[in-house]
Amino acid sequence: MFRIPPYHYLHVLDQTTNVTRLETGPQTFVKKDNEMVLSNTEKMVVVPPRHFCVISNPAMTDENKQVLLDNLGQVRLHHAEDEVRLQQVPFPLYPGEEIKVKITLLTVVPALSALRLKVTRDFTDEDNQQRRAGDEMLFEGPGTYIPRKEIEVIGQHKAIIIKPNTAVKLRATRETTDKNGVNRVAGEEWMVKKNGSYLPGVYEEVVVTCTAYFLTDKTAVHVAATQTFTDEKGRQRKSGEEYLITVDDMEAFIPGVYENVIETKGITTLTNRQYCIIVNPVGANGKPQLGAKKLVKGEKSFFLQPGELLENGVQDIFILGENEGIVLKALEAHKDTFANPPVDRKPGDNWMLTGPLEYIPPVEVIVLSTRKAFPLHQNEGIYVRNTNTGKVRAVVGKTYMLQEDEELWEKQLPLIVKTLLSSESHTAADKHYAKEWKNPNKENVQDDTVGDTWDGTKVVTFQVPHNAAVQLYDYKSKMSRVVFGPDLVMLGPDEQFTQLSLSAGNPKKPNMWKAIALWLSPIFTSDVITVETSDHARLQLDLQYNRHFEIEDLTNQVEASKLFCVGDFVGDLCKAMASRIRGAVSSITFDDFHKNSAKIIEVAVFGMNPETRKVRERIKFPANNFVVTSVDIKSVEPVDQRTRDSLLKSVTLAIEITTQSQEAAARREAERHEQESQGKLERQRIEDEATSEKARKKLLALQAESAAIESTGQAKAEAFSRAEAARIEAEAAVQEAKLKAQAHKIETEAELKRMNAAREADIKFALEQNNLEVEKAEKMAKIETDKFNKMVTVLGTKTIQAMASGPQDHQVKMLQSLGLSSTLITDGRTPINLLNTAGGLLGNVGTQP
């Protein structure tokens, strides 16, 4: 027995017929012997509101929703089918039914979104529209989506918010109709520019979201058409056509489907001092004129059209000063109207314009170069070459501007000459060469720095030092000239310096010193040579020759050219002197040479005068007028070590002997000085003792005198001090009395001033108080007067009169109301004159008729 509560059920299998049936509560089920309960009591399926579930293999029902049974009483099922059940009364699951999808909340589609649905089998919807398997659709919100067994949810879409100045490019994935009712084919693209939300259709996909290009007076958009179409302005655009969208067309540009933005162009602005040349300008037909050029002058602002280019950009007009010019060349034949009168120019013509003027070259002309005049001092110049004839000339000492057929010519000089001209060292030959000796291995390093600063277009100048000479050779005229200093040398276009390559170093080495100037004044040349005596003693001599060049007539170029006839005069001098000295020393012994080296070398160098039998004072080389006046032996050192040691020993021994003799003489002189000093010391001691006794005697006399003065001076000092003390006390008493009198006087005056000040203050206080009371009384009287006047003014004269006569008027009116003509009222105590009273009461009888 099974108790089945309400809204519960169980499945019972009849084992006889093998049929399973459903038993629902509330009931108490008694199982028979041939029956079997397949499951425990289960609760019916309850679908809450806004929920659903999917039942697999649902039971068949008739039109009245009654379950259909077969002949055996078995529930008929839709096998392999699904059924979506929504909110309803609790229901059981018949045998064979299964819950495929548990109870699930229905999908709520919010606004601006949609569900993408796909049809899995053919069916006809509620609108009697045939749906085919594979079709897709959208369920747009807001709404609650109720599932169907024929439809599958494959995704969710959200609407796109199209903001101002933005657009969405869409593409059709298959043939469809967009929301505007336009038929679209697969692959077709279109733009949606309407502001607001847009939910793409089921067969629409978003390609890109486009942002507008904001156009101003200074910006434009360069656009190219990808295929032929008609734009928003109704103009037809051909495929590949390029055009410009400016602010005159629209303020914000969103490229269409068939438009491709190449670039954003800025405006080209020309001032009144600028111009530009447009290459391939756009003609009247709107097409670029290939190969043409157009000149645009400022002031002007414009956009370059597609295909247009600026030749050399925006250029400033040529403003030429008084010393400026430009060289022009004609590219094609034209008439030059800038010249006065106009000139016909042929292609290839060159001409030059000089300032002051302003010039804008036309498109037929190019500017080859600008020229500026060279302000040249009288010691400055430039090399100028004529491009037509090739002739080179030097322009010196004037302001010069190159003509159209002229150019600057760079003079080529050897690198060593550039180095000598650019260096700060002395360029004269053999001038302090020992300190400024040049290493040839380092010349390549110096050449790099010289080449950066060398300007070959300027006339090469060289300041010839005082007492020096420079030789210049003109290769064109085959002539040379020698210039003596101090002077300034300016090289012509075909002139070169004669280089001097001299020996330097100790001992001399050839080609170690480069120079372009020859020093003429006396100067020393040093050299180190090795000689050998007749007894085979080898000696190294360090010599210095005092030499100079001797020339009498500086204007004689023949004599002057002799100075440069000998290339290495230093090397030749040293070789000749060394040969003479070696020959002379080889014939004498070492001892003789050591004793008379100076004399021997002078005779060898200068020779003997056969007439006077004396050594000559100088030697002259006539080939180049080279004169040697003296020779100095700086040192003589043996080359052989043994000879050097022997010479050193002999010299040392001689020095020792001389030193010992000098020491003995010095010793004897010292002893003599010592004896003299002792005698002087003894005599000085005796004189000092006598002087001391005299001083002692004076001291005793002074002590006695001091004692006498001391005894008398003490009493005198005491008396003087007492008198001084008394005087000081008296003066102090007098001063004290004076000070007391002054103090009393000051106190009295101060008290008097205080009392006077107090009285003055009291008087002033009383006066001010009286003034305040008077002022108060006056103000109060004025206030009362103003108050009364204002009251009178407010009440008026009539009112006051009425108030004054009010009681009498009241009485008169009362009497008149009683009909009395007159009345007399008295208190009985006041006397009344009745003589004329009756007349008044009775009236004037006499006046009546």
Side-chain angles (χ1 to χ4, degrees):
M1 184 176 61
F2 295 89
R3 298 183 183 277
I4 304 174
Y7 299 109
H8 287 70
Y9 69 96
L10 55 79
H11 293 164
V12 179
L13 175 63
D14 189 345
Q15 296 181 355
T16 303
T17 60
N18 204 22
V19 174
T20 302
R21 71 179 185 276
L22 177 71
E23 295 292 338
T24 61
Q27 66 171 328
T28 299
F29 174 71
V30 179
K31 181 175 75 67
K32 297 179 180 180
D33 293 339
N34 63 338
E35 293 177 341
M36 182 179 64
V37 176
L38 298 180
S39 62
N40 295 328
T41 302
E42 295 183 4
K43 188 176 180 180
M44 291 184 180
V45 179
V46 179
V47 180
R50 303 188 65 79
H51 287 71
F52 76 99
C53 66
V54 178
I55 305 299
S56 180
N57 304 321
M60 295 183 182
T61 58
D62 57 8
E63 296 178 355
N64 297 324
K65 303 296 182 180
Q66 298 296 322
V67 177
L68 300 178
L69 303 176
D70 58 6
N71 297 330
L72 301 176
Q74 179 75 31
V75 177
R76 297 176 62 181
L77 302 176
H78 289 285
H79 293 284
E81 287 286 349
D82 295 330
E83 181 180 353
V84 178
R85 296 182 183 179
L86 303 175
Q87 178 189 1
Q88 55 183 293
V89 297
F91 61 90
L93 293 178
Y94 287 93
E97 291 183 338
E98 297 177 357
I99 296 179
K100 184 176 181 179
V101 178
K102 295 182 180 180
I103 298 173
T104 306
L105 182 67
L106 291 173
T107 302
V108 177
V109 181
L112 304 180
S113 62
L115 293 178
R116 189 182 182 92
L117 308 177
K118 184 176 181 180
V119 179
T120 58
R121 65 176 73 177
D122 297 345
F123 75 98
T124 302
D125 60 9
E126 293 82 357
D127 298 333
N128 200 22
Q129 184 177 359
Q130 186 70 25
R131 301 289 185 180
R132 302 292 182 181
D135 288 348
E136 295 181 3
M137 65 189 75
L138 292 179
F139 179 81
E140 299 182 7
T144 302
Y145 172 69
I146 299 176
R148 292 180 61 104
K149 63 181 181 180
E150 300 91 353
I151 297 176
E152 176 186 3
V153 178
I154 60 176
Q156 186 174 3
H157 289 181
K158 290 186 178 181
I160 300 172
I161 305 301
I162 303 176
K163 300 179 181 180
N165 298 320
T166 58
V168 177
K169 181 186 288 188
L170 303 177
R171 181 187 295 123
T173 57
R174 57 176 287 184
E175 293 184 2
T176 184
T177 302
D178 62 11
K179 293 188 176 182
N180 295 327
V182 180
N183 294 326
R184 304 292 183 182
V185 298
E188 183 180 355
E189 295 180 353
W190 69 97
M191 301 291 292
V192 177
K193 300 181 180 179
K194 185 179 179 181
N195 295 335
S197 61
Y198 181 81
L199 186 63
V202 65
Y203 298 120
E204 298 174 1
E205 64 177 355
V206 177
V207 179
V208 68
T209 300
C210 301
T211 303
Y213 292 87
F214 294 98
L215 306 178
T216 64
D217 295 339
K218 298 181 179 180
T219 57
V221 179
H222 183 188
V223 182
T226 57
Q227 72 179 50
T228 303
F229 74 102
T230 302
D231 61 10
E232 297 177 355
K233 300 294 184 179
R235 289 172 292 190
Q236 186 178 12
R237 303 293 186 182
K238 299 294 184 67
S239 177
E241 180 183 354
E242 296 182 4
Y243 48 94
L244 204 65
I245 304 296
T246 63
V247 70
D248 297 334
D249 300 324
M250 59 189 70
E251 294 182 355
F253 172 69
I254 299 177
V257 178
Y258 306 115
E259 292 177 322
N260 181 27
V261 176
I262 298 177
E263 62 177 342
T264 300
K265 285 192 175 184
I267 195 169
T268 302
T269 302
L270 303 178
T271 65
N272 59 353
R273 318 305 295 167
Q274 292 177 331
Y275 74 98
C276 66
I277 296 177
I278 300 177
V279 182
N280 305 327
V282 174
N285 57 355
K287 304 296 181 182
Q289 307 299 314
L290 301 179
K293 294 182 180 180
K294 179 182 177 182
L295 176 64
V296 180
K297 303 178 183 178
E299 299 175 353
K300 190 173 185 181
S301 297
F302 62 93
F303 290 101
L304 286 177
Q305 297 297 322
E308 292 182 342
L309 298 174
L310 286 182
E311 186 178 56
N312 301 324
V314 176
Q315 305 177 56
D316 294 331
I317 66 175
F318 291 91
I319 301 176
L320 304 180
E322 184 177 358
N323 294 325
E324 294 178 332
I326 53 174
V327 179
L328 308 176
K329 181 179 181 180
L331 298 178
E332 55 185 84
H334 70 285
K335 176 168 287 189
D336 186 2
T337 58
F338 190 81
N340 190 13
V343 179
D344 292 330
R345 303 291 185 184
K346 297 181 180 180
D349 285 351
N350 291 347
W351 70 99
M352 182 176 178
L353 297 178
T354 58
L357 56 84
E358 295 181 0
Y359 182 71
I360 299 177
V363 295
E364 300 88 1
V365 176
I366 61 171
V367 178
L368 296 179
S369 63
T370 58
R371 299 289 172 85
K372 191 173 182 180
F374 295 93
L376 302 176
H377 187 258
Q378 61 180 358
N379 294 331
E380 294 178 335
I382 55 174
Y383 296 112
V384 178
R385 177 177 177 270
N386 191 299
T387 57
N388 295 330
T389 62
K391 184 178 179 181
V392 180
R393 61 191 179 95
V395 180
V396 180
K398 64 178 180 179
T399 301
Y400 185 76
M401 183 186 299
L402 297 176
Q403 300 300 316
E404 65 271 11
D405 56 349
E406 291 180 342
E407 63 180 2
L408 289 176
W409 180 75
E410 185 174 357
K411 184 176 180 60
Q412 300 297 326
L413 291 177
L415 292 177
I416 186 61
V417 175
K418 293 181 181 179
T419 304
L420 292 173
L421 293 176
S422 302
S423 64
E424 297 180 356
S425 60
H426 208 295
T427 54
D430 207 28
K431 177 66 174 176
H432 305 309
Y433 63 85
K435 296 181 180 179
E436 301 179 356
W437 175 60
K438 306 293 183 180
N439 189 346
N441 297 328
K442 297 183 179 180
E443 289 185 0
N444 294 332
V445 178
Q446 296 177 357
D447 292 343
D448 296 338
T449 58
V450 171
D452 295 339
T453 59
W454 183 261
D455 187 3
T457 60
K458 294 183 179 180
V459 171
V460 180
T461 60
F462 175 66
Q463 295 179 358
V464 183
H466 177 71
N467 210 5
V470 174
Q471 186 181 38
L472 308 175
Y473 184 77
D474 192 335
Y475 286 91
K476 186 175 182 181
S477 62
K478 307 297 183 181
M479 298 291 291
S480 63
R481 59 188 177 100
V482 178
V483 179
F484 294 93
D487 198 356
L488 180 68
V489 174
M490 304 183 72
L491 287 185
D494 302 312
E495 288 183 332
Q496 292 287 347
F497 287 103
T498 298
Q499 302 179 37
L500 297 175
S501 181
L502 307 178
S503 300
N506 287 323
K508 286 292 183 285
K509 296 179 182 179
N511 301 322
M512 294 299 291
W513 181 268
K514 304 291 184 180
I516 58 176
L518 185 64
W519 196 257
L520 303 179
S521 61
I523 194 171
F524 286 97
T525 299
S526 62
D527 191 16
V528 175
I529 63 174
T530 303
V531 298
E532 186 175 355
T533 62
S534 60
D535 51 359
H536 305 290
R538 302 189 65 200
L539 303 175
Q540 182 176 337
L541 307 181
D542 189 358
L543 307 176
Q544 264 193 345
Y545 308 105
N546 188 2
R547 48 83 176 179
H548 66 275
F549 288 92
E550 188 177 78
I551 183 170
E552 298 179 355
D553 188 5
L554 299 180
T555 60
N556 190 348
Q557 288 294 324
V558 176
E559 290 294 326
S561 61
K562 289 183 179 181
L563 300 175
F564 296 88
C565 290
V566 180
D568 186 5
F569 61 89
V570 175
D572 294 347
L573 168 66
C574 294
K575 290 177 183 178
M577 296 297 104
S579 176
R580 293 188 179 190
I581 294 172
R582 289 192 191 100
V585 174
S586 63
S587 61
I588 59 177
T589 62
F590 172 74
D591 292 337
D592 294 339
F593 180 76
H594 185 66
K595 295 177 181 179
N596 304 306
S597 59
K599 185 68 173 178
I600 294 171
I601 291 176
E602 285 184 0
V603 173
V605 171
F606 299 109
M608 299 292 292
N609 190 342
E611 298 177 357
T612 60
R613 291 294 180 176
K614 294 182 180 180
V615 181
R616 293 189 179 96
E617 295 181 355
R618 66 176 190 169
I619 182 174
K620 182 178 181 181
F621 298 89
N624 58 349
N625 294 328
F626 188 58
V627 178
V628 179
T629 57
S630 65
V631 58
D632 180 27
I633 305 172
K634 296 175 66 176
S635 65
V636 178
E637 296 181 0
V639 178
D640 187 20
Q641 185 64 34
R642 291 180 299 176
T643 306
R644 185 178 301 176
D645 295 340
S646 300
L647 180 62
L648 181 61
K649 288 180 181 179
S650 63
V651 172
T652 304
L653 182 60
I655 292 173
E656 288 179 356
I657 294 171
T658 305
T659 304
Q660 291 175 1
S661 62
Q662 290 178 355
E663 287 179 355
R667 194 182 304 112
R668 289 192 297 270
E669 186 68 21
E671 291 177 355
R672 185 177 63 81
H673 282 296
E674 185 178 0
Q675 292 296 330
E676 292 179 355
S677 299
Q678 288 180 356
K680 291 180 180 179
L681 181 62
E682 185 65 22
R683 184 168 55 186
Q684 185 67 32
R685 185 179 63 79
I686 296 171
E687 291 178 355
D688 291 342
E689 287 179 356
T691 305
S692 177
E693 289 297 330
K694 292 180 181 179
R696 188 178 299 170
K697 180 180 178 182
K698 291 181 180 180
L699 177 62
L700 292 175
L702 292 174
Q703 287 178 352
E705 184 179 358
S706 176
I709 294 173
E710 184 178 358
S711 60
T712 58
Q714 184 174 4
K716 183 178 180 180
E718 290 178 357
F720 181 75
S721 61
R722 285 195 295 271
E724 188 69 20
R727 185 182 62 79
I728 293 172
E729 288 178 358
E731 290 179 355
V734 172
Q735 188 69 21
E736 182 179 1
K738 289 180 179 181
L739 293 176
K740 286 182 178 180
Q742 290 179 359
H744 180 69
K745 181 180 179 181
I746 292 170
E747 290 177 357
T748 305
E749 291 178 355
E751 182 66 20
L752 180 59
K753 289 181 181 180
R754 185 186 66 78
M755 294 177 66
N756 291 335
R759 289 191 183 92
E760 290 178 358
D762 292 340
I763 294 170
K764 185 177 181 181
F765 176 74
L767 290 175
E768 290 180 355
Q769 188 173 11
N770 294 334
N771 292 335
L772 290 174
E773 290 179 355
V774 171
E775 186 178 357
K776 179 180 179 182
E778 290 177 353
K779 289 183 178 181
M780 291 299 295
K782 185 178 180 181
I783 291 171
E784 292 295 332
T785 304
D786 293 342
K787 178 180 178 182
F788 182 77
N789 292 333
K790 289 180 180 180
M791 290 176 63
V792 171
T793 304
V794 170
L795 294 176
T797 55
K798 294 182 179 181
T799 304
I800 296 172
Q801 184 179 0
M803 291 174 62
S805 60
Q808 290 79 5
D809 293 342
H810 179 68
Q811 294 175 3
V812 171
K813 290 181 179 179
M814 288 179 63
L815 293 175
Q816 289 177 354
S817 62
L818 295 175
L820 297 179
S821 300
S822 66
T823 182
L824 176 63
I825 299 173
T826 180
D827 55 0
R829 291 177 296 180
T830 303
I832 299 172
N833 187 4
L834 300 176
L835 294 177
N836 297 322
T837 302
L841 292 174
L842 299 176
N844 192 357
V845 181
T847 58
Q848 295 181 357

